[in-house]
Amino acid sequence: DGGITQSPKYLFRKEGQNVTLSCEQNLNHDAMYWYRQDPGQGLRLIYYSQIVNDFQKGDIAEGYSVSREKKESFPLTVTSAQKNPTAFYLCASSIGVLRNTGELFFGEGSRLTVL
Amino acid sequence: AQSVTQPDIHITVSEGASLELRCNYSYGATPYLFWYVQSPGQGLQLLLKYFSGDTLVQGIKGFEAEFKRSQSSFNLRKPSVHWSDAAEYFCAVAGNQFYFGTGTSLTVIP
């Protein structure tokens, strides 16, 4: 079945450590996204990529980095510069530019806890 | 600026009762509107979407939503709620990116 796979589902990190969250899709979608979800704040866009080897900052990119070396993969690194990294992270994809195709498909999320 | 407002943070209904979740949007052009549902610790699943045409759209799990341009609203409805509908519901508008509301948490009382 086609879909989006995020790993790990749960991750614990000590302060000062970088961590990388994996996101893989087999939907053949061009565009991929990372969102952060905190209680009562909805979803906030961290980074997005519309094609391989290209990505753009979203609303809260500080302290995060991404790469898009393959169409299927869009890993997110939470760096030690991120001041409050404990959150639920969601990866999503869409066929192309949102206004033309509309729908986001989501992975099941990764919960990061900083100890 | 584009934005979505969900005025109700939390709603409690009895099983079998009707449900309406409110959503108001701000968008300059014709909006693409969506409702997503999220179970605890899970990703978001699309319930329904509106692009154009009939302003009453049907979705999965017996949900429907009505687009009212004059009120800038896209409220979600279900005539009879089931215990399995307890979840977080998000309204969203698609511009150059997706803009999500802050969500409405639904509790269903047996």
Side-chain angles (χ1 to χ4, degrees):
Chain A
D1 286 326
I4 300 176
T5 301
Q6 291 187 239
S7 63
K9 191 167 180 65
Y10 300 95
L11 184 61
F12 297 88
R13 184 194 97 175
K14 294 181 180 179
E15 284 192 18
Q17 291 181 333
N18 292 354
V19 294
T20 297
L21 307 181
S22 170
C23 179
E24 303 279 333
Q25 56 102 354
N26 60 4
L27 300 168
N28 198 32
H29 287 173
D30 288 317
M32 297 186 74
Y33 311 80
W34 275 105
Y35 288 89
R36 171 178 171 143
Q37 185 177 21
D38 297 282
Q41 296 196 46
L43 278 69
R44 293 181 291 169
L45 183 63
I46 304 173
Y47 269 98
Y48 65 102
S49 168
Q50 295 185 344
I51 57 173
V52 174
N53 293 322
D54 187 49
F55 47 83
Q56 288 78 39
K57 293 181 179 180
D59 300 320
I60 57 165
E62 184 176 353
Y64 299 98
S65 66
V66 294
S67 63
R68 187 86 186 276
E69 297 178 359
K70 299 186 300 182
K71 186 176 184 178
E72 303 79 25
S73 179
F74 191 42
L76 173 74
T77 297
V78 184
T79 75
S80 57
Q82 168 51 233
K83 296 179 181 179
N84 185 21
T86 294
F88 190 56
Y89 292 88
L90 286 161
C91 180
S93 70
S94 65
I95 293 174
V97 176
L98 283 175
R99 282 295 288 178
N100 292 330
T101 59
E103 183 175 344
L104 281 176
F105 294 80
F106 284 88
E108 294 200 341
S110 294
R111 183 167 298 282
L112 171 63
T113 302
V114 174
L115 304 173
Chain B
Q2 297 90 342
S3 67
V4 175
T5 301
Q6 293 181 247
D8 303 306
I9 297 173
H10 185 253
I11 285 181
T12 300
V13 299
S14 298
E15 191 169 16
S18 63
L19 172 70
E20 182 169 30
L21 303 182
R22 296 183 291 166
C23 172
N24 293 97
Y25 67 89
S26 173
Y27 190 73
T30 301
Y32 290 2
L33 295 160
F34 305 80
W35 274 100
Y36 283 86
V37 61
Q38 183 183 34
S39 298
Q42 300 294 314
L44 277 68
Q45 180 185 19
L46 180 70
L47 282 176
L48 47 79
K49 57 188 176 184
Y50 170 78
F51 286 176
S52 64
D54 192 348
T55 56
L56 185 64
V57 294
Q58 303 296 321
I60 63 172
K61 305 184 181 185
F63 285 92
E64 65 179 26
E66 185 171 13
F67 169 59
K68 293 185 178 180
R69 186 186 298 275
S70 62
Q71 299 178 18
S72 297
S73 69
F74 189 57
N75 294 348
L76 182 71
R77 300 193 296 248
K78 187 169 185 178
S80 178
V81 171
H82 188 263
W83 64 266
S84 61
D85 293 325
E88 188 93 16
Y89 291 81
F90 292 93
C91 182
V93 62
N96 58 342
Q97 60 170 288
F98 256 63
Y99 298 90
F100 286 88
T102 51
T104 298
S105 176
L106 175 65
T107 297
V108 180
I109 298 174

